[in-house]
Amino acid sequence: MKIKLTQSQILISILVVSVIIVICNEILFYDVPEKFPYGDVVGQVFSYLSLSYIASCIFYYVVVVVKEKRDKKNVYLSVHKLLEKLIAEAYSIYRFPIEASKTDKLKFTAQTITKEEYVDVCSKANPREISANHKLGMYPNLQDSTYGQLIKHGSVDRVTFWTEKIFVYMPFLDSELVKLIDDLTNNQHHHFGKFLALIAEPNFSKSANNMYDFLEKVRALEKYNNTVVKKVIS
């Protein structure tokens, strides 16, 4: 069985070997007579090389690693807040079908509703119905909006807006976070959700599967934000 080591594991292994060489040459075998010609010279060469490697590792840790951790923490303080806003807007994919279907808001939660339950809710929600509680636009020019328009605005337009804000910090973002956001903005709902405002069907049944897939990706991003990102900024 082949053992694959990562680059960091290889570098740490070399560091451990270097420390052992220095300890052996400078402490344990310091007074031991050389066993072969030029043995002491060879030992000193390895010792000096090991000390140089140890010094470079210390320098790298202090100058690069510590600084990167500090910079990442500062950046993630902003990213965490932006993610919270993105997630709140994205959950319109859950809130408005629940409201439009007249479903009891205490019956389900965005984090636990099953696909079957969600599809059933969507079958009872009219995308062309005008919401009595929500409007779009800027005050004082607020306009009545259908549930199709509201879902499109929150889960497509606003998610795109906050994604652009977050990706300003791209050099500091973990690849896993980038992938989670990319999954959110490159799924079927985000591509076709822009047409929800024009939907002619009496319910969201045809779009329900894509909408639930989007909801699952929002959950995954929320979990990452509440665990990994919080750990970085704590």
Side-chain angles (χ1 to χ4, degrees):
M1 184 177 68
K2 293 183 179 180
I3 300 177
K4 294 184 179 180
L5 297 176
T6 64
Q7 183 179 21
S8 61
Q9 289 174 325
I10 294 173
L11 294 176
I12 292 174
S13 298
I14 296 174
L15 177 61
V16 171
V17 172
S18 298
V19 172
I20 292 174
I21 290 174
V22 171
I23 292 174
C24 289
N25 281 349
E26 303 300 329
I27 299 175
L28 299 180
F29 303 142
Y30 181 76
D31 294 328
V32 176
E34 61 183 18
K35 301 298 182 180
F36 56 89
Y38 302 106
D40 183 60
V41 175
V42 173
Q44 287 300 315
V45 170
F46 276 104
S47 184
Y48 291 150
L49 289 174
S50 298
L51 285 170
S52 298
Y53 185 78
I54 293 170
S56 65
C57 286
I58 294 173
F59 179 83
Y60 177 80
Y61 180 80
V62 172
V63 175
V64 178
V65 175
V66 172
K67 182 179 183 300
E68 283 186 352
K69 285 185 177 180
R70 183 177 63 250
D71 291 344
K72 186 175 182 179
K73 180 176 181 179
N74 292 336
V75 167
Y76 267 48
L77 286 169
S78 296
V79 170
H80 176 65
K81 295 175 182 178
L82 292 173
L83 281 171
E84 286 185 329
K85 294 177 180 178
L86 183 153
I87 292 164
E89 302 266 22
Y91 269 134
S92 62
I93 201 74
Y94 168 81
R95 292 193 307 273
F96 292 128
I98 291 290
E99 182 178 315
S101 64
K102 310 300 188 294
T103 301
D104 184 356
K105 294 180 180 180
L106 300 178
K107 186 176 181 180
F108 305 116
T109 68
Q111 292 73 23
T112 60
I113 190 171
T114 66
K115 184 173 184 177
E116 292 73 20
E117 293 167 340
Y118 185 81
V119 170
D120 182 60
V121 167
C122 287
S123 69
K124 302 172 183 176
N126 184 354
R128 293 177 294 173
E129 179 184 348
I130 294 176
S131 171
N133 303 315
H134 306 279
K135 299 180 184 295
L136 292 177
M138 299 292 291
Y139 183 83
N141 300 314
L142 297 175
Q143 298 180 348
D144 290 336
S145 303
T146 65
Y147 285 107
Q149 290 174 322
L150 291 168
I151 293 174
K152 180 256 184 184
H153 177 74
S155 62
V156 179
D157 299 340
R158 297 300 291 172
V159 165
T160 300
F161 173 81
W162 291 116
T163 295
E164 292 173 353
K165 294 286 186 181
I166 292 169
F167 278 176
V168 168
Y169 302 102
M170 178 66 82
F172 298 93
L173 303 181
D174 290 334
S175 60
E176 184 178 357
L177 175 56
V178 174
K179 183 179 183 303
L180 286 169
I181 297 175
D182 189 62
D183 288 344
L184 193 67
T185 56
N186 284 286
N187 74 337
Q188 292 296 311
H189 169 70
H190 200 264
H191 285 310
F192 297 109
K194 64 187 69 175
F195 300 112
L196 286 178
L198 306 174
I199 194 169
E201 284 78 15
N203 54 51
F204 289 104
S205 292
K206 289 186 177 180
S207 305
N209 288 330
N210 290 339
M211 291 165 67
Y212 188 79
D213 179 62
F214 181 85
L215 175 61
E216 288 189 311
K217 288 174 170 51
V218 178
R219 290 170 176 170
L221 183 60
E222 182 180 43
K223 180 179 179 181
Y224 185 91
N225 193 40
N226 289 336
T227 55
V228 178
V229 175
K230 276 191 175 181
K231 184 177 180 181
V232 172
I233 65 178
S234 61

